[in-house]
Amino acid sequence: MILCEESYPEILDEICSYLTPGEVELVFIDEDEMRELNRSKRGIDKTTDVLSFPLELVIHTPLGSIVINKDMVKQKANELNHSEDAETALLFTHGLLHVLGYDHEKDDGEMRQKECEVIKKFELPKSLIVRSEDVRLIDLINEKS
C-alpha cells in the first residue's frame, strides 16, 4: 500500500502489491528540494532522480520512504521518449527495491534481476540500473579512445 498526499500513476499500486504487502510512503519534490535532501542526508551536493529511506521494521509503520524528483521525471521522460507515468514507475520500482533491502552497488546482480522482472511484468522501459550501466560503458569507451 502506498501512502502519498499527491496523485500518482495507478500502476504504482500494482508494482507495490507485487513486491510487498507492506506500506511505503511516496513523496514528490522538485529539483531544488531533492538537491537539498541529497546534500543533507548523503553529503552529495547535486540533485538526483530518486532517493529511498528504509525504516526499521515496526508494526503498523511504513517500510520506508521513496522520494521522487518530479522535475527529473519530466526531463527523463522527454529525453527517453516515454511517458511520465512510465518514468515514475521506474523510479518507484528502483526506490522500493532499495527500501526492501536490495543494493545494486553491493549485490551480485540481484537488484538488477528483480528490476528486470518488474519491468517485464509491467511492460516498462529500460531500467535505471541498465541506463546507468550504459552510461558507464560509454564513459569507459571514451576513456580508452
Side-chain angles (χ1 to χ4, degrees), residues 94 98 103-107 109 111-112 115 126-144:
H94 190 85
H98 277 302
D103 188 346
H104 56 90
E105 293 180 7
K106 296 179 183 175
D107 70 18
M111 183 169 175
R112 178 182 179 171
E115 201 171 61
K126 192 183 283 190
S127 78
L128 295 181
I129 296 171
V130 171
R131 290 189 326 216
S132 66
E133 288 174 353
D134 289 351
V135 169
R136 279 185 278 190
L137 182 59
I138 290 168
D139 289 344
L140 186 61
I141 291 168
N142 289 338
E143 284 177 13
K144 291 183 178 186

Side-chain angles (χ1 to χ4, degrees), residues 14-138:
E14 297 173 42
I15 293 168
C16 189
S17 293
Y18 180 72
L19 292 174
T20 181
E23 294 180 341
V24 65
E25 177 186 41
L26 176 60
V27 179
F28 293 96
I29 61 178
D30 67 27
E31 194 167 328
D32 293 334
E33 292 169 307
M34 184 64 94
R35 181 182 187 135
E36 178 55 30
L37 185 62
N38 203 20
R39 187 192 61 71
S40 68
K41 298 294 185 186
R42 299 178 62 224
I44 300 173
D45 190 19
K46 67 177 189 173
T47 194
T48 189
D49 48 11
V50 62
L51 289 174
S52 56
F53 301 97
L55 300 176
E56 295 298 318
L57 295 179
V58 180
I59 297 173
H60 302 300
T61 62
L63 298 172
S65 299
I66 300 166
V67 182
I68 294 178
N69 180 337
K70 58 188 175 187
D71 294 331
M72 287 189 81
V73 165
K74 291 176 187 171
Q75 176 190 0
K76 282 294 182 186
N78 285 333
E79 179 183 316
L80 299 170
N81 200 29
H82 57 247
S83 72
E84 290 180 25
D85 284 359
E87 184 65 20
T88 300
L90 286 171
L91 296 176
F92 178 79
T93 300
H94 190 85
L96 182 55
L97 289 173
H98 277 302
V99 165
L100 295 174
Y102 289 87
D103 188 346
H104 56 90
E105 293 180 7
K106 296 179 183 175
D107 70 18
D108 292 320
E110 293 90 353
M111 183 169 175
R112 178 182 179 171
Q113 182 178 355
K114 194 66 169 177
E115 201 171 61
C116 288
E117 177 186 317
V118 171
I119 286 166
K120 184 176 180 181
K121 177 168 181 59
F122 294 98
E123 300 177 357
L124 298 171
K126 192 183 283 190
S127 78
L128 295 181
I129 296 171
V130 171
R131 290 189 326 216
S132 66
E133 288 174 353
D134 289 351
V135 169
R136 279 185 278 190
L137 182 59
I138 290 168

